[in-house]
Amino acid sequence: MLVKTYCAAVNGLDVTTITIEVSLNRGVMYHFTGLGDEAVREGKDRIAAALQYSGYRFPTADITVNMAPADLRKEGSSFDLPLAIAILAANGNIESEQLGQYMMVGELSLDGRLQPVKGALPIAIRARKEHFKGLIVPRQNVREAAVVNNLEVYGMESMMDVIQFLTGQKAFEPTVIDTRKEFYEHQYQYDLDFADVRGQENVKRALEVAAAGSHNIILIGPPGSGKSMMAKRLPSILPPLTLAESLETTQVHSIAGKLGKGSSLIAQRPFRSPHHTISEVALVGGGANPMPGEISLAHHGILYCDELPEFNRHTLEVLRQPLEDRKITISRAKYAVEFPCNFQFVASMNPCPCGYYGDPTHHCVCTPGQIQKYMSKISGPLMDRIDLQIEITPVPFSDISKAGPGEPSAAIRERVIKARAIQNERFKDYRGIYCNAQMSERMIHKFAEPSEEGISLLKTAMERLSLSARAYNRILKVARTIADLADSEGVRPEHLAEAISYRNLDRGDWAERGI
């Protein structure tokens, strides 16, 4: 007897419907075809134990299993459930006309319980696209998959629940989630707020500019100056995720298995902060079974690298292309997987090896050569992709004790949202361009061209401050964002002056000041 059940294989963000075909004939052999990996082939032993625990016997017959399309690699244990159901149906233990109407995924424990799988959300999207009536998933994945509307999603505890549902022995209700209600309820629930930050008004202003134009930013200052504290509050002033952005971000986290138990849509922009010992594969993605890296988990959010010079130089260099392309392609001999990585890069670092260069309360013991060597750990091409370079000095205790609460994140966020709305209108005819940080050189000349007075100011700054040539375009991009925050149609000299002040590391005398 030949029986077919349906499941799905996830490769990157691409999902392919898999047809599991099981044929039983006389004999005692088990034949498997369809490019399944070790976890798929080991499923036979898990299925045999789960069937026995559930009151069934693994058939004594010549069993041929095929997973079509046979030339596509299948990885993971999510095929256990549909394969077990197909074997039972082929053996005559299950009679159901609904097998072809439902897609099923789930790993089987030896006692027949269903274990959670990765990629439930993109699988649910594929099931709806293929016009399946419903999707059966482990209960831990049900809220994640139920985000997809116009699809019946059932969360099951065990294989016996699935059998009873398919044969009509027991009724189950599909899980229904009010996606929009849940999404909007959690959008503004931030644990950290800029109101807690006393002083550092210039740094908060720089972070506001970075958020408004989605500019990459690096914070340089001695230990205890507040670099990490303020960087971690940056998500609280970013524009809220749209539903489309949230769905895309949630898919990436679903594939990586990073969604918490009972999670549905991610409502806040992700903030990823990898340790400086991270490997290249963990940062950009890959591995034997390619999975998203930190840059993809930061999609539509922030990738924060604390103590940037402590990262392996080769590891940092792999960021250069993703920062430009906003996607990463992982190529292997027989296939390629693409993950999105549209993130805002935020970094912090000490100004020198001892950490106290520029600190008014500590004496720096580093020579200019040591400082230069420390800074050279970050390559020019990577630094070229960072628009704002901000120096931070510690706030004296007397100022901290006198200062009142800072401006709350909600007030700053309103200004950022308004500036982003101006940019959305400006770039509506440019595909893939949403903010000032993404402007090409031609677009800079069109939208951020300064006046004669502004050009004169730029020339003077370049000469007196020994600014590098690569700073020119970055200054114009940032100045355009500052003008948007001021609701100005043109880029005025005061906007350029503020943008110039955000290029600390480009100053030719940076490593000699104060020595």
Side-chain angles (χ1 to χ4, degrees):
M1 185 177 180
L2 176 65
V3 171
K4 296 181 180 181
T5 56
Y6 300 91
C7 55
V10 180
N11 292 289
L13 287 182
D14 296 326
V15 180
T16 305
T17 300
I18 302 298
T19 303
I20 296 181
E21 302 171 314
V22 174
S23 174
L24 264 64
N25 296 291
R26 284 188 174 184
V28 292
M29 298 294 290
Y30 182 87
H31 311 278
F32 181 91
T33 61
L35 279 184
D37 69 354
E38 191 66 25
V40 178
R41 293 192 295 271
E42 287 176 347
K44 175 195 171 185
D45 300 319
R46 291 191 295 273
I47 291 169
L51 290 179
Q52 184 174 5
Y53 194 90
S54 303
Y56 297 92
R57 292 185 61 187
F58 194 83
T60 303
D62 195 86
I63 304 173
T64 302
V65 175
N66 179 49
M67 292 188 175
D71 60 345
L72 180 73
R73 296 173 70 250
K74 289 89 179 175
E75 299 169 347
S77 54
S78 61
F79 304 99
D80 287 359
L81 175 62
L83 180 53
I85 297 299
I87 289 174
L88 285 176
N91 196 43
N93 298 109
I94 296 178
E95 293 184 6
S96 175
E97 298 178 355
Q98 301 192 75
L99 288 180
Q101 299 178 24
Y102 292 90
M103 185 179 280
M104 294 176 276
V105 291
E107 176 188 329
L108 285 175
S109 295
L110 299 187
D111 61 357
R113 290 185 176 274
L114 296 181
Q115 298 299 320
V117 298
K118 297 177 180 178
L121 176 56
I123 289 172
I125 294 172
R126 183 67 185 182
R128 182 181 64 180
K129 186 177 180 180
E130 293 285 341
H131 304 293
F132 282 93
K133 182 179 179 181
L135 172 68
I136 299 173
V137 297
R139 187 168 295 280
Q140 294 95 321
N141 296 118
V142 68
R143 289 180 58 79
E144 171 189 343
V147 165
V148 180
N149 56 13
N150 300 323
L151 179 74
E152 295 179 2
V153 179
Y154 297 88
M156 302 294 190
E157 289 282 357
S158 66
M159 182 177 64
M160 280 304 300
D161 288 346
V162 179
I163 294 171
Q164 291 173 346
F165 169 72
L166 292 174
T167 56
Q169 299 175 36
K170 188 176 179 181
F172 291 85
E173 291 296 324
T175 300
V176 179
I177 292 179
D178 189 338
T179 305
R180 291 181 178 272
K181 180 182 177 183
E182 288 208 0
F183 177 70
Y184 291 119
E185 276 183 353
H186 296 90
Q187 268 196 319
Y188 299 107
Q189 295 180 359
Y190 295 103
D191 295 328
L192 303 174
D193 195 288
F194 272 104
D196 305 325
V197 180
R198 297 173 183 262
Q200 302 287 20
E201 297 303 323
N202 62 321
V203 183
K204 286 191 276 189
R205 169 63 178 176
L207 289 170
E208 178 182 340
V209 172
S214 192
H215 298 289
N216 300 325
I217 183 172
I218 185 169
L219 307 173
I220 312 103
S225 56
K227 303 184 296 293
S228 300
M229 177 186 68
M230 285 185 280
K232 290 175 181 178
R233 283 164 170 76
L234 183 56
S236 68
I237 64 172
L238 290 175
L241 282 171
T242 64
L243 269 172
E245 289 174 337
S246 175
L247 186 62
E248 198 173 43
T249 303
T250 307
Q251 285 189 69
V252 174
H253 284 248
S254 174
I255 291 167
K258 299 294 185 181
L259 287 179
K261 183 178 179 181
S263 299
S264 52
L265 278 178
I266 292 175
Q268 297 177 358
R269 294 188 182 274
F271 183 90
R272 305 294 299 183
S273 181
H275 192 260
H276 61 77
T277 56
I278 190 171
S279 67
E280 294 178 22
V281 171
L283 185 63
V284 300
N289 301 329
M291 297 296 290
E294 288 292 330
I295 62 172
S296 295
L297 294 172
H299 186 51
H300 291 311
I302 292 171
L303 179 71
Y304 175 53
C305 292
D306 195 10
E307 303 299 343
L308 190 64
E310 302 302 326
F311 281 75
N312 183 287
R313 185 184 176 98
H314 293 292
T315 301
L316 288 178
E317 291 306 296
V318 299
L319 287 176
R320 287 159 51 179
Q321 185 180 358
L323 279 169
E324 293 290 333
D325 297 344
R326 302 181 186 275
K327 62 181 179 181
I328 181 73
T329 302
I330 300 163
S331 299
R332 296 292 181 263
K334 294 184 179 180
Y335 64 96
V337 174
E338 183 177 287
F339 294 111
C341 56
N342 182 14
F343 62 93
Q344 185 174 355
F345 183 58
V346 179
S348 63
M349 59 179 288
N350 292 331
C352 65
C354 79
Y356 293 108
Y357 173 58
D359 189 341
T361 61
H362 292 79
H363 177 65
C364 175
V365 298
C366 304
T367 65
Q370 288 175 319
I371 297 174
Q372 195 62 44
K373 183 179 179 181
Y374 186 74
M375 295 300 301
S376 66
K377 291 182 178 181
I378 309 168
S379 70
L382 179 61
M383 191 62 74
D384 187 35
R385 289 160 171 79
I386 300 177
D387 296 340
L388 287 87
Q389 306 160 355
I390 311 300
E391 276 191 271
I392 304 178
T393 55
V395 180
F397 174 77
S398 58
D399 294 343
I400 294 176
S401 59
K402 294 176 183 177
E407 186 179 19
S409 294
I412 304 174
R413 184 170 58 243
E414 287 303 316
R415 296 196 294 270
V416 169
I417 292 172
K418 185 178 178 181
R420 285 286 186 100
I422 294 172
Q423 294 166 52
N424 287 335
E425 179 64 24
R426 176 184 300 134
F427 303 127
K428 64 181 180 181
D429 297 328
Y430 294 87
R431 185 178 179 184
I433 305 296
Y434 308 103
C435 54
N436 291 331
Q438 297 174 317
M439 285 194 293
S440 64
E441 195 164 335
R442 181 177 296 181
M443 295 168 70
I444 291 173
H445 291 304
K446 182 176 180 180
F447 298 116
E449 191 68 29
S451 62
E452 289 296 327
E453 185 182 356
I455 291 176
S456 176
L457 175 64
L458 264 175
K459 181 180 179 183
T460 302
M462 298 282 286
E463 292 173 353
R464 290 188 178 180
L465 302 177
S466 303
L467 294 177
S468 66
R470 69 171 180 256
Y472 181 78
N473 283 347
R474 302 291 169 182
I475 289 171
L476 291 180
K477 284 184 180 182
V478 174
R480 179 65 267 175
T481 300
I482 295 169
D484 291 338
L485 283 167
D487 201 13
S488 171
E489 186 173 342
V491 176
R492 297 200 294 264
E494 58 265 31
H495 304 146
L496 286 167
E498 184 178 349
I500 291 168
S501 71
Y502 296 145
R503 299 298 300 182
N504 293 97
L505 295 186
D506 271 337
R507 295 179 59 166
D509 64 340
W510 192 87
E512 285 79 26
R513 287 180 291 122
I515 301 291

